[in-house]
Amino acid sequence: MARLSEQDKQADIETKKAEVLEKRANAVKGRAEAEKLEAEAIKQREEAEKMKLENEKLRLELHRAKIQLALDILNQLAPSLPETERIAYLVRLLPPLDTVISSNLQIVAGTTKGAG
């Protein structure tokens, strides 16, 4: 999730860079320089769009993984559940999974000391 958020922010930065380059292109008096800046702006926009598409792909993969996790949990807890009930429980299980996935959890292996 953090990687996705970082990539979203990076895509926004690239979009802003493209906007700045377009404004600079409009302000430049020399036509050759303006064309060069416009080409750079187009390249920046393409890069931003590419990042956005990649982020959307990651979001879809994450959503599929959440659904698969919910299905795995249901299969472990109630393997003989009818399909209609399985779907109903799946829909109810996704929001808590979102909460767990988006939480900043840190699992630390505990150590035990023997009485000595």
Side-chain angles (χ1 to χ4, degrees):
M1 293 295 288
R3 179 177 158 218
L4 189 58
S5 177
E6 180 181 341
Q7 286 182 339
D8 278 338
K9 289 177 184 174
Q10 187 63 37
D12 289 340
I13 288 170
E14 294 298 327
T15 300
K16 297 291 184 193
K17 285 180 180 179
E19 291 171 3
V20 168
L21 288 172
E22 285 175 345
K23 289 178 182 178
R24 285 178 53 198
N26 291 333
V28 173
K29 293 184 181 185
R31 186 71 189 149
E33 183 66 21
E35 288 174 1
K36 178 183 172 188
L37 291 174
E38 184 65 28
E40 288 179 28
I42 290 169
K43 183 179 175 184
Q44 289 286 335
R45 283 197 185 282
E46 288 172 352
E47 186 64 30
E49 188 61 30
K50 181 180 173 185
M51 287 179 157
K52 288 177 183 178
L53 289 173
E54 181 65 27
N55 288 348
E56 189 58 32
K57 179 182 171 187
L58 290 172
R59 277 189 196 88
L60 288 172
E61 289 175 10
L62 180 61
H63 190 67
R64 282 189 201 117
K66 286 189 287 188
I67 290 172
Q68 187 59 53
L69 177 59
L71 286 171
D72 291 345
I73 291 169
L74 289 174
N75 286 334
Q76 290 291 319
L77 296 176
S80 61
L81 207 65
E83 191 68 24
T84 54
E85 288 184 44
R86 184 180 312 276
I87 292 169
Y89 280 110
L90 174 75
V91 170
R92 291 174 33 199
L93 188 56
L94 288 176
L97 283 177
D98 281 334
T99 302
V100 171
I101 290 170
S102 63
S103 298
N104 291 329
L105 299 175
Q106 183 177 7
I107 300 173
V108 179
T111 59
T112 58
K113 291 185 178 180

